[in-house]
Amino acid sequence: MTNLSTTIQLAKELINIDSVTPNDKGCQELMIKRLEAIGFTIERLRFGDVDNLWATRGHCEPLFVFAGHTDVVPSGPAEQWNTPPFETTITNGILYGRGAADMKGSLAAMVTACERFIKNQPEYKGTIGFLITSDEEGPAIDGTVKVIEYLKKNNVSINMCLVGEPSCTHALGDTIKNGRRGSLGAKLIVRGIQGHVAYPHLAQNPIHQITPALTELTAVEWDQGNDFFPPTSFQISNINSGTGATNVIPGEVEALFNFRFSTELNQDKITSQVEALLNRYNFDYEIEWTLSGQPFLTSKGDLVDAAQKSITEITGLQTELSTAGGTSDGRFIAPTGSQVIELGPLNATIHKVNECVATKDLDDLSLIYEKILEKLL
């Protein structure tokens, strides 16, 4: 490890810990040791079974925060990996291991960027923060959302936040996520009357009832998107019904579906439109809605400008702004009024067998993070 950069060494240490969500297993303590050494004040915040870290250095605005998570998704069958998922391997400049891209590599790059920046500019103007959770890949109940509540109670306002989620597609720096679509899920239950398939007049088939309604929902144009967001997407993810027997008309059917929606819509508009459509079918139904996150957007400002310029200086690329992809913990931070972007390594292998990241990309990512600090503080 002595021939590796400090960023790669720290990434290896973090990846070698099998911190499957919601278990941190000491990852945050590794980060705390490094952050304390450069003057950060540490607050360990445990909510439920989740370890969270809030660390700050400085006492004035602006408050710039690095946000991320130490938890990873399960590796799946270890025998399907070319190398053990929690024993980091580097082959031909590629670092393999669960969490290499999502997002322990980014965490290492954040820490080493701060180490260099503070060494060179110990009297910078502003405050640097770290908001780290071990509950991003799980239900996200006792992680970032709880830390934000804690900060609000203590009158702490984040001005700018960089989330280290893997954001890039083909090359490091080609994409910054400057927003995310909202996510609204639903469980729809339609009740019929169970009976024998040979006597359909004595039963009422809920599958037959729900099918035209779902078909109509898939055909709706919810919006046309805008300059930053694609059109809202409606997707059916599960349909469950039946007893398992071929000669029984089921008594009910359950459908799960999800909206990924733009800033052209909100939760109330979607739910009212869906329920109005369902009511026209005159069947017995109930629907349960779950909002996972509102859409958010940082269209312009100091943070986006600093990130774009820093990427160009390190990689030569002109980066693209994007709101595509799933949700992230940025959805909990943006509503506080903070500028929020996501910038991390390539996302091609995240959650996959043989997850990996180029070592050069992590070293360059650390340099980009350092440049951003220089421009903002």
Side-chain angles (χ1 to χ4, degrees), residues 251-298:
E252 69 176 36
V253 59
E254 176 185 284
L256 305 180
F257 53 82
N258 180 269
F259 289 87
R260 294 300 167 100
F261 61 101
S262 74
T263 49
E264 297 295 309
L265 288 178
N266 58 43
Q267 179 185 8
D268 292 339
K269 288 182 179 179
I270 295 172
T271 58
S272 61
Q273 187 172 347
V274 169
E275 291 174 14
L277 184 152
L278 296 175
N279 289 337
R280 289 194 281 103
Y281 283 87
N282 294 317
F283 45 52
D284 179 15
Y285 79 91
E286 67 177 81
I287 189 165
E288 178 183 333
W289 295 97
T290 302
L291 180 68
S292 299
Q294 298 281 6
F296 69 89
L297 179 69
T298 299

Side-chain angles (χ1 to χ4, degrees), residues 298-311:
T298 299
S299 58
K300 58 183 178 179
D302 295 340
L303 181 57
V304 170
D305 291 344
Q308 289 180 311
K309 291 175 182 177
S310 298
I311 289 168

Side-chain angles (χ1 to χ4, degrees), residues 21-24 28 44-52 133-135 139-147 149-150:
T21 189
N23 300 304
D24 172 75
Q28 291 174 24
R44 297 172 177 85
L45 304 173
R46 186 170 176 86
F47 302 109
D49 295 327
V50 175
D51 290 308
N52 302 285
T133 184
S134 62
D135 187 36
I141 294 173
D142 292 319
T144 299
V145 64
K146 288 288 181 66
V147 178
E149 291 173 2
Y150 169 83

Side-chain angles (χ1 to χ4, degrees), residues 28-46:
Q28 291 174 24
E29 291 301 322
L30 281 177
M31 297 179 67
I32 287 170
K33 182 178 179 181
R34 300 283 284 264
L35 293 174
E36 282 184 327
I38 53 175
F40 277 80
T41 299
I42 305 299
E43 293 185 68
R44 297 172 177 85
L45 304 173
R46 186 170 176 86

Side-chain angles (χ1 to χ4, degrees), residues 198-213:
Y199 302 95
H201 59 290
L202 300 178
Q204 193 173 59
N205 194 321
I207 298 177
H208 294 184
Q209 292 180 300
I210 200 174
T211 299

Side-chain angles (χ1 to χ4, degrees), residues 360-371:
K360 184 179 186 306
D361 282 356
L362 289 188
D363 286 332
D364 284 349
L365 184 63
S366 181
L367 294 175
I368 292 170
Y369 289 165
E370 183 184 8
K371 285 283 187 184

Side-chain angles (χ1 to χ4, degrees), residues 4-5 7-9 11-12 88-96 172 356-366:
L4 302 175
S5 69
T7 301
I8 303 306
Q9 290 180 42
K12 284 173 62 70
T88 316
T89 303
I90 298 176
T91 304
N92 297 323
I94 305 297
L95 185 153
Y96 292 88
L172 178 70
C356 61
V357 64
T359 55
K360 184 179 186 306
D361 282 356
L362 289 188
D363 286 332
D364 284 349
L365 184 63
S366 181

